[in-house]
Amino acid sequence: MAVTTAEAGPSVWPFVRLKLRMLVNGWRGRPARTALFVAGVVLAGFFAVAGYAIFAIPGVVGDERAASLLLQLGGSMLVFGWLIFPLLFFGVDESLDPSRFALLPLSRRTLIMGLFAAALTGLPALSTLAATAGMVSTVADLGGAAAAFVQFVGIVGGVLICVAVSRAVTSAFATGLRSRRSRDLAVVLFAVVAALLGPLQLALLAGAERADWPAFAAIADVLGWTPLGAPWSLGLDVVAGRLWAVPLKLLIIVVTLVGLLRWWSATLERAMLGAASNGSSRATGNAGSPTGLLLGRRLPRSRFGALVARETRYWWRETRRRASLITFSVAGLFLPVSISLSGGAAGPMAVFVGALAAVALANQFGYEGNAYAANVAAGVPGRVEVHSRAAAHAVFVLPLLLLVALVVGVVSGRPERIAGDLGLLLATYGAGLGLVLPVSVRGAYSLPESTSPFALSSGGGLAKGFLTLGVMLGTLVATVPLQILAWVLGSVWLWIGLPVGAAFGCAAYLIGSQVAGDWLDKRAPEVLVAVTAGR
Amino acid sequence: MTVPVQREGDQIPAMALRGLVKRFDTKLAVSGVSLDVPAGSFYGLLGPNGAGKTTTLSMAVGLLRPDAGHAFLLGYDVWADPSAAKARLGVLPDGVRLFDRLTGPELLAYHGLLRGMDATTVDQRARELLDVLELGAGNRTLVVDYSAGMRKKIGLACALLHAPRLLVLDEPFEAVDPVSAARIRDILQRYVAGGGTVIFSSHVMEVVERLCSHVAILSDGVLRLHGTLGAVRGDRSLEEVFVQVVGGRVSTGSELAWL
Ligand SMILES: Nc1ncnc2c1ncn2[C@@H]1O[C@H](COP(=O)(O)OP(=O)(O)O)[C@@H](O)[C@H]1O
Ligand SMILES: [Mg+2]
């Protein structure tokens, strides 16, 4: 690490200054951006303080074994986090986008060093350093000043590795995902993985219950000899008297850093050379009339039919929407099944699954950005717009709800409940729609015009996300009477559950969609402005 | 204001703007634009980048609510009676995405059906447009994978599909190759000859000078000059007039002497 800064010399400063200038500009922007910036500072500060406190505890307690466990495992998790985080928030921090430097006469080494320095100049790196400073405190408590100094060198190396790994992985990802098709695929894959995280976590927890501490300690010590854990265990080795380990681990750190920077540099070059345009246009067979292509066989040849057809296409072809469908399918099936396996009641899960389905529409106008202008320019009436969007969503969701009811009935060994459960599911889906449709008109916000995968909404989205939460809660409240009814009626509900639930859902949907349609008639241009990205 | 006051003949301007104002945060993007676009004219809206052309046209077609002022299309008030005004209008907005996860033919079918046309007419016209604009009637590529020029062309096709009486086109020639541009010019000229009205924005003088019967020059959100091409141009070139009106600097010869 010392090597890198020394070699780069003064030429990294322009990059650092540029980064700082951009930080300041971001902070001087509109109130929303300022708020976001402040929120970032608060979050980083919180992370730093909490991290410091946690890492400093073993020292205060004076427990060497706990220190070894916590520092190596915790440190490894930090590196892992830095590896994963940019993939989650891919495209959010393009503060210094390498392709912008493509035309400047910079040597690759200068560019890498500059970008690396700029990446280090930021809240995340700073707060990581502050958090891991807790490790220095622990080592100082355990082994005195000399050990603490070695640990300090270690954490600096560790932070450098964190930043380098995150930059290198991002860059590799960006070059790997140049074509839209591979990006779309990645988003979908990622959705599947994310959706499986819940089940995975439960499995891990179950494993942890059985695991013993010596096993963890062994894992920690092994990690200490990998790039993930080496930087964080330098001082511990001094404390334990394993002085010979220090130069070896330093070597691991330096080799890792150099390797990462090399890799980054290689992918960066490919990124800057630009996409090889593999514009293989698809087959141009003469397959039917344009309206036939759009509508298929069954949809009516009308405005409503066209709107529904376009929406269903978008639920399938637009990656964010497809990802949300996949997440919903996995969560919608996994949750109720796991609950009924453990003998829980199906009622609450029905509320949850139905509401979860509906909230996918909370920002339905934001999905395709200002393409919505076409509908505004054509003067589509609000109610037609709202009904068509709900219908297209239902095309995907209703079969899933049926599947959930079937699977739960079978898994819990009570097939007689299927109809009643389906009734509850329909009721909550309808109530959820009734709430979410007006919200989607009032609370529309712009998503980033995503050319990069995993792009999340950066500004304002968070506050609007609370609206989604509100819708979930509202749906819970709205369907409480029905839940109580189902519970009180007991076996009678098995018979009347489906029609009553469906009627309840329909009524709620109709009310909500009328309100939403009327609002949309008055506010279509405002919705358009709200979903327009940028500015 | 559902029925316009007088509807016979060409008395009613195809587009009439009255004191349109739009402010973004602190910037006054359009300050009080009033303009009459006579029916049957080929109207060019000229202005440097950031002059407010897109903002003005967006307010005129009902996509952006003005802070003040009125817009009438073929006599119908856009903001009081939007459906009547929009039904007779074709728009090619600038800087607006298309529903680009559809293929070209699907997108055209979508627009046609949105406008309430029957399916057979949509199919026939869509095929013809795809053919004439060389987008390929059987092309199954998603619009998101089109080039910028192809996107302009499919957008234009969407605006033309329902044979509107008024076409509002924002930068229709941007990023379009010369061959396609010539074809688009040809289509638009025939459209105007057939009684339609076109208003389009541009910052390219040659196109405007070649096509337009009327021009208006906008800069800094203010309408500086408008009228028939002849009246605006006088005996100078349109470019000279434009640079003078917009207040561009004229080279003195002493600056950049080192170059
Ligand atoms: N949504 C917006 N938010 C803030 N400023 C805007 C917005 N849209 C346009 N502007 C500003 O208004 C001015 C006029 O923009 P525009 O109408 O797009 O110009 P033109 O189309 O003539 O190039 C520009 O200075 C632009 O920066
Ligand atoms: Mg413009």
Side-chain angles (χ1 to χ4, degrees):
Chain A
M1 61 269 121
V3 193
T4 56
T5 34
E7 270 178 1
S11 52
V12 303
W13 289 113
F15 288 88
V16 173
R17 273 206 304 274
L18 184 59
K19 175 73 179 278
L20 288 176
R21 173 71 51 79
M22 290 176 80
L23 272 179
V24 171
N25 282 354
W27 164 60
R28 275 199 318 220
R30 308 241 297 265
R33 267 213 262 155
T34 314
L36 212 70
F37 179 80
V38 172
V41 171
V42 170
L43 210 69
F46 174 78
F47 179 76
V49 172
Y52 186 95
I54 291 173
F55 284 129
I57 287 176
V60 175
V61 184
D63 185 341
E64 207 173 303
R65 252 189 35 178
S68 148
L69 201 67
L70 185 72
L71 265 54
Q72 296 184 100
L73 281 183
S76 302
M77 265 163 63
L78 266 181
V79 179
F80 189 68
W82 272 85
L83 184 95
I84 291 297
F85 207 64
L87 301 186
L88 288 177
F89 293 87
F90 194 84
V92 167
D93 175 43
E94 301 212 321
S95 44
L96 289 192
D97 179 0
S99 61
R100 293 193 193 141
F101 300 94
L103 293 178
L104 299 181
L106 290 170
S107 77
R108 191 140 55 101
R109 168 176 239 123
T110 317
L111 183 61
I112 287 287
M113 287 311 159
L115 288 175
F116 191 42
L120 283 169
T121 324
L123 286 176
L126 212 66
S127 74
T128 305
L129 189 65
T132 50
M135 297 183 176
V136 178
S137 144
T138 282
V139 172
D141 288 339
L142 294 175
F149 176 72
V150 174
Q151 181 69 11
F152 176 73
V153 173
I155 66 165
V156 170
V159 170
L160 289 178
I161 285 187
C162 282
V163 174
V165 84
S166 96
R167 292 285 84 196
V169 166
T170 313
S171 172
F173 231 70
T175 39
L177 298 179
R178 301 232 96 191
S179 82
R180 186 183 57 78
R181 236 164 254 284
S182 56
R183 278 197 306 265
D184 287 2
L185 192 70
V187 173
V188 171
L189 278 182
F190 187 76
V192 174
V193 172
L196 287 175
L197 272 185
L200 214 69
Q201 202 177 6
L202 288 188
L204 274 183
L205 277 182
E209 270 170 19
R210 266 171 250 144
D212 44 352
W213 289 111
F216 272 119
I219 293 178
D221 284 339
V222 170
L223 280 178
W225 283 99
T226 67
L228 287 178
W232 323 107
S233 58
L234 278 186
L236 291 174
D237 286 329
V238 176
V239 173
R242 288 190 300 267
L243 282 179
W244 53 269
V246 173
L248 285 180
K249 288 192 174 176
L250 271 178
L251 190 68
I252 292 180
I253 296 172
V254 170
V255 168
T256 307
L257 261 179
V258 171
L260 283 173
L261 291 180
R262 281 258 167 85
W263 183 35
W264 183 19
S265 161
T267 54
L268 201 61
E269 188 162 47
R270 251 177 292 147
M272 296 202 323
L273 284 178
S277 60
N278 38 0
S280 56
S281 60
R282 268 201 278 166
T284 52
N286 209 345
S289 61
T291 50
L293 285 173
L294 178 69
L295 297 171
R297 227 168 282 144
R298 253 164 284 163
L299 283 168
R301 265 63 187 152
S302 66
R303 182 161 59 184
F304 182 73
L307 284 162
V308 173
R310 204 261 307 144
E311 275 286 299
T312 45
R313 289 284 195 295
Y314 262 72
W315 278 109
W316 191 244
R317 288 185 191 162
E318 213 260 344
T319 46
R320 273 185 292 226
R321 293 204 197 196
R322 187 162 14 153
S324 97
L325 273 187
I326 290 172
T327 331
F328 166 69
S329 316
V330 175
L333 276 175
F334 171 77
L335 267 169
V337 167
S338 71
I339 288 177
S340 52
L341 271 183
S342 58
M349 77 75 195
V351 176
F352 187 72
V353 172
L356 198 65
V359 293
L361 295 183
N363 192 24
Q364 55 173 338
F365 291 97
Y367 282 127
E368 61 273 354
N370 57 13
Y372 177 57
N375 295 11
V376 180
V380 177
R383 289 184 191 183
V384 178
E385 179 84 47
V386 168
H387 283 314
S388 68
R389 283 171 182 263
H393 189 238
V395 165
F396 290 95
V397 168
L398 290 184
L400 270 171
L401 294 185
L402 179 64
L403 189 67
V404 169
L406 282 175
V407 168
V408 168
V410 171
V411 166
S412 62
R414 294 190 55 192
E416 74 275 9
R417 266 193 357 203
I418 290 175
D421 279 359
L422 185 59
L424 275 181
L425 281 169
L426 291 178
T428 44
Y429 180 50
L433 283 182
L435 279 169
V436 87
L437 291 175
V439 166
S440 73
V441 175
R442 281 300 171 126
Y445 57 95
S446 72
L447 296 166
E449 239 166 85
S450 141
T451 51
S452 57
F454 315 136
L456 295 182
S457 157
S458 37
L462 198 66
K464 300 284 175 73
F466 285 118
L467 275 181
T468 314
L469 221 67
V471 170
M472 294 279 281
L473 277 178
T475 312
L476 292 183
V477 173
T479 49
V480 160
L482 220 60
Q483 299 271 347
I484 294 176
L485 193 69
W487 185 69
V488 169
L489 289 181
S491 63
V492 179
W493 180 259
L494 298 181
W495 294 100
I496 64 162
L498 185 53
V500 169
F504 183 92
C506 278
Y509 164 72
L510 284 178
I511 296 172
S513 59
Q514 300 303 304
V515 173
D518 288 349
W519 280 358
L520 195 56
D521 278 332
K522 293 195 199 92
R523 296 177 44 91
E526 280 71 25
V527 172
L528 180 59
V529 169
V531 298
T532 301
R535 308 253 204 207
Chain B
M1 272 254 345
T2 318
V3 180
V5 199
Q6 22 162 218
R7 286 207 51 88
E8 69 283 351
D10 283 351
Q11 308 275 20
I12 300 175
M15 177 191 281
L17 310 179
R18 294 288 172 265
L20 286 180
V21 176
K22 186 71 196 181
R23 178 185 289 280
F24 292 115
D25 294 331
T26 53
K27 178 166 176 67
L28 196 56
V30 173
S31 45
V33 165
S34 299
L35 181 68
D36 278 339
V37 176
S41 64
F42 205 134
Y43 215 111
L45 183 58
L46 275 170
N49 296 323
K53 304 182 293 291
T54 298
T55 310
T56 304
L57 292 181
S58 300
M59 291 191 287
V61 300
L63 290 178
L64 181 69
R65 201 183 295 279
D67 294 338
H70 295 275
F72 301 90
L73 297 180
L74 304 161
Y76 296 98
D77 188 330
V78 176
W79 291 98
D81 184 12
S83 52
K86 287 172 179 173
R88 294 159 177 80
L89 169 73
V91 193
L92 172 67
D94 186 37
V96 161
R97 282 162 72 184
L98 297 161
F99 280 114
D100 52 16
R101 301 284 161 147
L102 301 180
T103 66
E106 285 172 349
L107 187 64
L108 276 177
Y110 177 70
H111 274 262
L113 293 169
L114 267 201
R115 298 297 191 157
M117 297 164 61
D118 70 86
T120 34
T121 320
V122 172
D123 286 340
Q124 185 217 328
R125 289 190 190 170
R127 283 218 187 89
E128 214 171 318
L129 276 167
L130 288 169
D131 225 34
V132 170
L133 290 170
E134 288 177 328
L135 291 165
N139 192 347
R140 304 287 291 276
T141 317
L142 297 187
V143 173
V144 67
D145 294 330
Y146 276 16
S147 71
M150 287 169 81
R151 259 179 249 169
K152 272 281 184 232
K153 287 198 281 181
I154 193 79
L156 185 68
C158 291
L160 290 169
L161 191 66
H162 62 293
R165 297 315 308 139
L166 169 64
L167 268 180
V168 178
L169 313 173
D170 199 355
E171 309 273 3
F173 297 103
E174 213 179 29
V176 175
D177 66 84
V179 178
S180 303
R183 184 150 301 173
I184 293 174
R185 280 202 304 270
D186 189 44
I187 295 172
L188 294 181
Q189 270 166 335
R190 267 191 303 171
Y191 169 81
V192 171
T197 310
V198 174
I199 172 163
F200 74 102
S201 74
S202 182
H203 49 252
V204 185
M205 298 305 137
E206 294 76 38
V207 178
V208 175
E209 209 156 16
R210 177 129 37 120
L211 286 176
C212 293
S213 60
H214 295 66
V215 289
I217 298 178
L218 192 69
S219 95
D220 290 327
V222 179
L223 206 57
R224 305 282 175 191
L225 210 55
H226 60 99
T228 60
L229 180 63
V232 168
R233 183 167 53 175
D235 49 5
R236 293 181 293 171
S237 79
L238 190 57
E239 181 161 359
E240 274 176 69
V241 177
F242 180 79
V243 171
Q244 189 215 336
V245 167
V246 168
R249 289 161 37 127
V250 183
S251 171
T252 60
S254 64
E255 59 209 355
L256 303 186
W258 46 268
L259 198 60

